[in-house]
Amino acid sequence: MEPNAAFDEYERSAVAAISAAATAEQLEAARVEFLGKKQGRLKDLQKLLGQVAAEERRVIGQRFNEVKTKVESLLSSRQKELDRPKRVIAGIDITLPGRTPKIGVLHPITQTIEEFKDIMGRFGFTAVEGPEIEDEQHNFTALNIPAEHPARDPLDNFYIAAAGVSSGGPVLLRSQTSTVQIRTMERTPPPIRIVSLGRVYRPDTQDDTHSCMFHQMEGLMVDRDVTMAQLKTVLALFAKAYLGEDVKVRFRPSFFPFTEPSVEVDMLWGETWIEVGGAGMVDPNVLRAVGYDPEAVTGFAFGLGVERFCMRRHEVRNIRLFYENDARFLRQF
Ligand code: DAH
C-alpha cells in the first residue's frame, strides 16, 4: 500500500477502535493492536517507512510521528475517561452538569427589619420580641386605653377568643407593637432602650397603603431625664440612616392614650408628606402601670410603619405587592 494511504487507514481504524473501547480490556486490546511494540500495526508502518525513497523519507517520517502521537494521546485520554468513576449511578448521570438551584432572597420586609435593627443597634437600642397574640391588658389597659375607649372596638381589632388560657379575658391579634413596651418594662427595671419589630393586625380596608397585616418598629427609651428633643433626634437620625441625608421628617401634635405629649411623624415622599408613625413621651400612667416611678424616670416611645419606609426606599407604590408572594416582584430585592 502507498504509505500515505496506509497512514490514513491506520489512523481511522485506531481512532474508531479506541473510541469504541468501553472497558479497560477492550482499550488494552486496541493498544496492543495499534501501538504494540512487538507486532502491532505500527510496526508495519515502520517497515513501510524503511521502503520509501530517501528524499521522501523526511516528509513521510513526519507524518508517521504525527499519526503515532495522535493515537497515543487519544489512547491516554480514553484511558482517563474509563478510569473516572462510573458515570451512571442509579439511573443518574453524575457527570452531567447539574441544574442550578434557584437561590432565594430574603423577603424585602425581612431585609428592612434586619437593617432597622442594625441602625437602631448602633444607637444603643436592643431588639426584643413580643407575642402576636395578646390580651387586653397588654394591648390596651396598661397602655392607658380605658375600657370604653373606641380603640377596643371589635370592628377595629381581630379578637380571636372570648377567654384566653392565661389571661382569662378576651384575646386578640395585637393591633400595635406598643404591647412590647409593657412586656419589657414589666420584667426589666429602668434604664431601658429597646426596639421591637414585628407584625400587627387591623381589619382595615385594603388599599395601596393599607394592609390588614403589616409591621411596626416600636421603640422605647426610659431613663432619668429623657426628653422630647432626644426623641426627635433619634427619629431624624434613624430616617436619615435608612433613607439618606436629604430625607425630611416632621412632627405634628397628636394624641395617643399612652403618650403625653404625642406627635405623629411624617416624611416627605416626592411632594407629599406621608405618615410613618406615632411617638411621644411615655404617659406617667403607663409608667405607673408597670411599677415605675414617673417622678424618677421619663421616657419616649415611638411606633413606625416598616412597610412605609421600605416602600419609599424602593419606590414601591402598592403595599399589597409585598404580600402577594409573586416571586418576580420579590426576587428584585
Ligand atoms: N401604637 C401606635 C399606632 O399603632 C403608634 C405609637 C404612637 C407607638 C405613639 C408609640 C407611641 O410607642 O409612643 O398607631
Side-chain angles (χ1 to χ4, degrees), residues 175-178 181 202 216 218-219 256 258-259 263 275 277-281 300-304:
S175 61
Q176 50 184 350
T177 43
S178 301
Q181 291 184 27
R202 292 176 195 178
Q216 286 188 328
E218 192 77 14
F256 297 102
F258 32 91
T259 43
V263 291
E275 192 195 320
M281 299 306 293
F300 68 67
F302 58 85
L304 305 178

Side-chain angles (χ1 to χ4, degrees), residues 208-245:
D208 285 356
T209 51
H210 294 87
S211 161
C212 53
M213 184 281 295
F214 62 100
H215 296 75
Q216 286 188 328
M217 174 165 76
E218 192 77 14
L220 174 69
M221 173 160 163
V222 184
D223 204 339
R224 265 178 289 140
D225 304 323
V226 172
T227 68
M228 189 90 178
Q230 290 168 343
L231 167 65
K232 290 185 78 170
T233 305
V234 166
L235 287 184
L237 284 176
F238 167 76
K240 284 183 203 296
Y242 182 70
L243 291 169
E245 277 302 310

Side-chain angles (χ1 to χ4, degrees), residues 111-182:
Q111 291 184 37
T112 309
I113 287 174
E114 290 310 310
E115 192 169 337
F116 279 20
K117 284 185 194 166
D118 193 59
I119 294 169
M120 293 308 292
R122 280 183 258 142
F123 298 156
F125 287 74
T126 308
V128 300
E129 293 203 19
E132 288 177 27
I133 296 176
E134 267 296 5
D135 50 43
E136 291 190 302
Q137 169 67 18
H138 293 90
N139 202 82
F140 303 120
T141 313
L143 286 163
N144 201 31
I145 302 174
E148 67 288 357
H149 196 279
R152 297 188 185 227
D153 193 323
L155 290 175
D156 291 329
N157 294 283
F158 285 111
Y159 284 92
I160 55 176
V165 177
S166 54
S167 71
V171 174
L172 73 162
L173 298 177
R174 68 180 176 193
S175 61
Q176 50 184 350
T177 43
S178 301
T179 53
V180 189
Q181 291 184 27
I182 304 302

